[in-house]
Amino acid sequence: MEQFLLGNIHKWLALHIDEQIITYLNHISVVWKERICERKEIFMQSLDIDSIRMVQFRMPTTCSGDAETIKRLFDNGTLFPGVIDPSDRDMLRRNVLSLDTVIPSFETFQANMHYIGFAAKILIRHVIDELPLCKSSKTRSPTIFEVLSSNWTAPEVVKVEFDDFDMREIEGPASPMPSLPGKIGHKTVSGPTLI
């Protein structure tokens, strides 16, 4: 929580991007608890802020430099020094190196929120015109996603860009906030769908 700047929360909430905030915080939880630590308490308790700082913003399956750095830091014992058992360290190393997403943290969250905030302001100013605000404490104002979703109509044909200028039709109903796990074309699609 050291890098989590609480003073920014009111700015993000004022932008009415609740779904994006919740989605990214869930993404952090899934990556660390499930994918890295495999829900094992011993690993979760052994996480340290220095190790998190060394791996955040890295994407080991995509960037060979990131993968080599992570291997070197595991080999010299710098990463996750609280995990001592060799088989546990091997499992943790394997899990970190298998991540096909940027390794998230509260710092990556704040960096992403900075840019999502710009996008939200553009949507409010140029697409939505103005968010309806509720002045009653009993009723909350709608989020940007709710306002845009209420005006969204599913297309008859759903297409995804597989490569530059290569659009292909996919099966399945269209939704305003798709969740497409796995591989689509040559690109891996996973993690949270932000704006």
Side-chain angles (χ1 to χ4, degrees):
M1 290 295 281
E2 183 177 320
Q3 290 297 316
F4 194 60
L5 304 175
L6 296 175
N8 289 328
I9 290 177
H10 77 281
K11 294 177 193 173
W12 302 327
L13 292 175
L15 290 171
H16 302 278
I17 52 176
D18 304 21
E19 294 87 357
Q20 289 71 32
I21 293 170
I22 292 166
T23 299
Y24 201 92
L25 292 174
N26 284 335
H27 173 62
I28 293 171
S29 177
V30 166
V31 168
W32 284 98
K33 280 185 180 177
E34 296 174 20
R35 295 185 67 192
I36 293 176
C37 295
E38 295 183 357
R39 293 191 170 274
K40 295 182 180 174
E41 288 289 325
I42 188 82
F43 294 143
M44 289 188 270
Q45 293 171 355
S46 299
L47 295 177
D48 63 287
I49 190 70
D50 292 328
S51 295
I52 292 169
R53 283 186 182 135
M54 286 183 255
V55 298
Q56 70 183 0
F57 291 103
R58 296 186 185 278
M59 193 169 180
T61 58
T62 302
C63 178
S64 59
D66 287 349
E68 290 305 314
T69 298
I70 290 168
K71 288 176 188 174
R72 181 176 42 78
L73 293 171
F74 263 106
D75 290 345
N76 68 22
T78 304
L79 278 183
F80 310 107
V83 180
I84 299 167
D85 181 81
S87 63
D88 288 343
R89 287 191 63 74
D90 286 343
M91 189 215 67
L92 203 55
R93 172 187 171 124
R94 199 172 37 253
N95 290 349
V96 171
L97 289 171
S98 72
L99 292 173
D100 57 355
T101 184
V102 172
I103 300 175
S105 66
F106 287 122
E107 195 170 333
T108 64
F109 168 73
Q110 291 181 136
N112 284 332
M113 291 309 297
H114 179 73
Y115 293 106
I116 292 169
F118 286 134
K121 289 175 186 174
I122 290 168
L123 286 171
I124 291 168
R125 197 169 292 134
H126 299 289
V127 177
I128 299 173
D129 290 329
E130 199 174 305
L131 277 173
L133 298 177
C134 297
K135 298 188 183 200
S136 166
S137 62
K138 295 177 184 175
T139 309
R140 69 173 184 80
S141 299
T143 64
I144 290 175
F145 178 74
E146 290 169 338
V147 170
L148 292 175
S149 295
S150 69
N151 294 315
W152 187 79
T153 304
E156 291 181 24
V157 176
V158 179
K159 292 188 176 188
V160 173
E161 185 172 6
F162 278 71
D163 206 349
D164 292 337
F165 307 107
D166 180 14
M167 301 294 287
R168 298 184 194 172
E169 194 171 318
I170 62 169
E171 291 184 29
S175 77
M177 195 167 202
S179 175
L180 303 170
K183 290 197 180 271
I184 292 185
H186 70 289
K187 298 177 182 173
T188 298
V189 178
S190 64
T193 303
L194 299 174
I195 291 181

